[in-house]
Amino acid sequence: MPAKRLLPDIVSLTPSNYDDFTRCARLFFNGALLGLPKSDPVSSADQGLVVHDMLWKIHAGGSCADDTYVGDVLAGHGVDTKPVRDMIARHARRCPSGSTDRAAHEYELARFHRQPAPMFMAVARIDAVWVHDGMLDARDYKTGRLFTERVADIPAAHVQAFVLARTASERGLRLRLRYEYLQPEIDDDPEPWDVDEETAAAIEEELRAAVARMWDEREWRGVADPDVCRACRYRSICRDSAAPGEPSWPVLSTEIAETER
């Protein structure tokens, strides 16, 4: 299907859909353009979402270093468990809130690129942003596996850096983007990314060029790479899948009853 029948006039880029596009064009096509529900199970993000939400609530009303206060917040939401406690404690050891001028949590940013064509709008929600020591210190909390040693090598981080760069520049601040892994078993975070003006300009051109490739795309072929396909949420319905399987679509109870007759 021609891209012009699917792409909006102003393409929307998010960290997740840009990561999809860099990973596999078909993945982007199925998710961002067709909006298909996942056909295959993927790792649950429930615990990660809980921890993100609790960190937001903890910082909104007090200090993550206050064990009694943290316990009250977690107990009040029915999630005062050892795994959650351990993740909050790991964050508290690296939290700069005691020396910050300003802070924001669950901070949503958008930035529009107009020229040169094609146009696109980048949107990203940042888990936490602190201003201290002349720096815009942006954090993305992670509760999954560690895949890379540098934030600069993560495609999703490029969209985040793009939307953050203008905010940092307007305030005369240096920009640092950090992926903060919360599991106690992960020893070190990936190397933070210090984004200067030259790097920010290169990121903008990278994203513009990616959107141009989207407009030129006609086939939307998958990469057919077993390592990529095994973790794909559409692996059993993708025509190019290198990890075929049976889809696990949700079914209505009446459909189950019919199949059992």
Side-chain angles (χ1 to χ4, degrees), residues 6-8 11-14 16-18 20-21 25-36 214 220 233-234:
L6 296 168
L7 288 168
V11 173
S12 176
L13 288 184
T14 67
S16 59
N17 74 23
Y18 182 62
D20 285 350
F21 183 72
R26 190 72 180 181
L27 175 58
F28 176 85
F29 176 86
N30 286 340
L33 300 188
L34 297 185
L36 297 179
M214 293 176 189
W220 298 104
R233 59 190 182 273
Y234 301 114

Side-chain angles (χ1 to χ4, degrees), residues 56-114:
W56 178 18
K57 294 182 185 301
I58 287 166
H59 287 115
S63 170
C64 59
D66 184 337
D67 291 339
T68 301
Y69 164 69
V70 168
D72 289 343
V73 173
L74 298 182
H77 290 84
V79 292
D80 191 7
T81 64
K82 187 177 186 306
V84 175
R85 278 267 194 169
D86 288 346
M87 291 187 189
I88 302 298
R90 180 177 168 92
H91 161 76
R93 293 193 292 271
R94 295 174 292 175
C95 180
S97 58
S99 60
T100 57
D101 300 319
R102 296 183 299 279
H105 302 274
E106 298 297 327
Y107 189 40
E108 190 159 340
L109 292 164
R111 183 179 175 187
F112 179 53
H113 168 88
R114 181 184 296 275

Side-chain angles (χ1 to χ4, degrees), residues 180-244:
E180 185 178 320
Y181 279 76
L182 300 175
Q183 302 94 315
E185 64 270 18
I186 295 179
D187 294 330
D188 297 307
D189 291 332
E191 179 185 331
W193 194 9
D194 292 320
V195 181
D196 57 22
E197 291 185 4
E198 182 178 353
T199 302
I203 293 169
E204 183 169 13
E205 173 54 25
E206 172 198 332
L207 299 180
R208 187 209 65 79
V211 174
R213 294 197 303 276
M214 293 176 189
W215 279 105
D216 291 337
E217 182 60 67
R218 292 295 181 271
E219 298 293 331
W220 298 104
R221 290 184 176 175
V223 295
D225 180 332
D227 290 336
V228 174
C229 295
R230 272 193 293 268
C232 179
R233 59 190 182 273
Y234 301 114
R235 61 185 177 273
S236 65
I237 63 169
C238 176
R239 65 187 182 187
D240 303 314
S241 177

Side-chain angles (χ1 to χ4, degrees), residues 15 18-19 22-23 140 142 145-161 177-181 189-193 203 206-207:
Y18 182 62
D19 185 76
T22 60
R23 189 181 304 269
D140 190 336
K142 294 297 181 184
R145 292 170 54 197
L146 179 62
F147 290 100
T148 183
E149 296 181 354
R150 301 194 320 148
V151 174
D153 295 333
I154 303 170
H158 292 215
V159 177
Q160 294 167 320
L177 177 58
R178 178 171 178 169
Y179 275 35
E180 185 178 320
Y181 279 76
D189 291 332
E191 179 185 331
W193 194 9
I203 293 169
E206 172 198 332
L207 299 180

